[in-house]
Amino acid sequence: MKTFTLDCDFDCDFDLFGVVSSSRDHKLAWALNQALRLRLVKQQDLIYDLLNRGRLVISNYLHATETATLRLLRNRSVDPSPLKKPFLAPDIKEYDYLIQVTNGTGALDADELMAQLSNLPLVQYVCRFDPNALKFKENFQF
């Protein structure tokens, strides 16, 4: 019997930032709201069922306007998981949170956002990533 494999290649058209912060997700969302004049609102957690291996439950905050979208995602699963690497992006597991920006302009421009995030007291470190270079980039397709 022949076996067919479906190869899908996603082209990511968003900016992705990794944030190291020991604060809780709601406190970081509040700080981002204050510093960037956003309205990050807690959304339903993202649930990834990984076929008999376990599941990931990812905390999800969203700020959406007519032109831009910003998501604050916790990189580690909020529920206990039997997975060896319970991360949304296991290849950048050193980062506690991920910020995904689509169509960022003005205050959400990549360079401006990087500077603003670096100045927040709750953020120890921030780094910008090319999402197309990540191994698990399909986890960012919502």
Side-chain angles (χ1 to χ4, degrees), residues 6-121:
L6 177 63
D7 289 327
C8 294
D9 191 23
F10 298 109
D11 186 31
C12 300
D13 60 345
F14 56 85
D15 293 316
L16 186 67
F17 300 89
V19 175
V20 175
S21 175
S22 60
S23 64
R24 303 199 32 118
D25 52 5
H26 63 276
K27 190 170 184 177
L28 182 59
W30 181 83
L32 288 171
N33 285 340
Q34 298 300 313
L36 301 173
R37 295 185 186 100
L38 301 176
R39 177 133 170 74
L40 282 168
V41 178
K42 175 80 166 132
Q43 304 294 306
Q44 185 175 1
D45 290 339
L46 301 174
I47 299 174
Y48 294 93
D49 286 317
L50 304 173
L51 304 173
N52 300 332
R53 294 187 310 174
R55 72 183 208 168
L56 293 175
V57 179
I58 303 298
S59 182
N60 174 28
Y61 290 81
L62 175 68
H63 168 78
T65 64
E66 291 124 15
T67 58
T69 303
L70 184 139
R71 285 187 186 272
L72 173 65
L73 304 163
R74 187 178 170 112
N75 194 19
R76 188 177 187 87
S77 180
V78 293
D79 281 352
S81 177
L83 296 169
K84 290 181 183 177
K85 296 180 180 179
F87 299 98
L88 178 64
D91 35 352
I92 52 174
K93 65 182 178 201
E94 299 82 19
Y95 296 89
D96 301 310
Y97 297 96
L98 301 171
I99 296 177
Q100 177 186 13
V101 180
T102 306
N103 298 331
T105 58
L108 296 181
D109 178 62
D111 296 327
E112 178 70 24
L113 185 60
M114 186 82 161
Q116 292 284 341
L117 290 172
S118 297
N119 290 332
L120 283 175

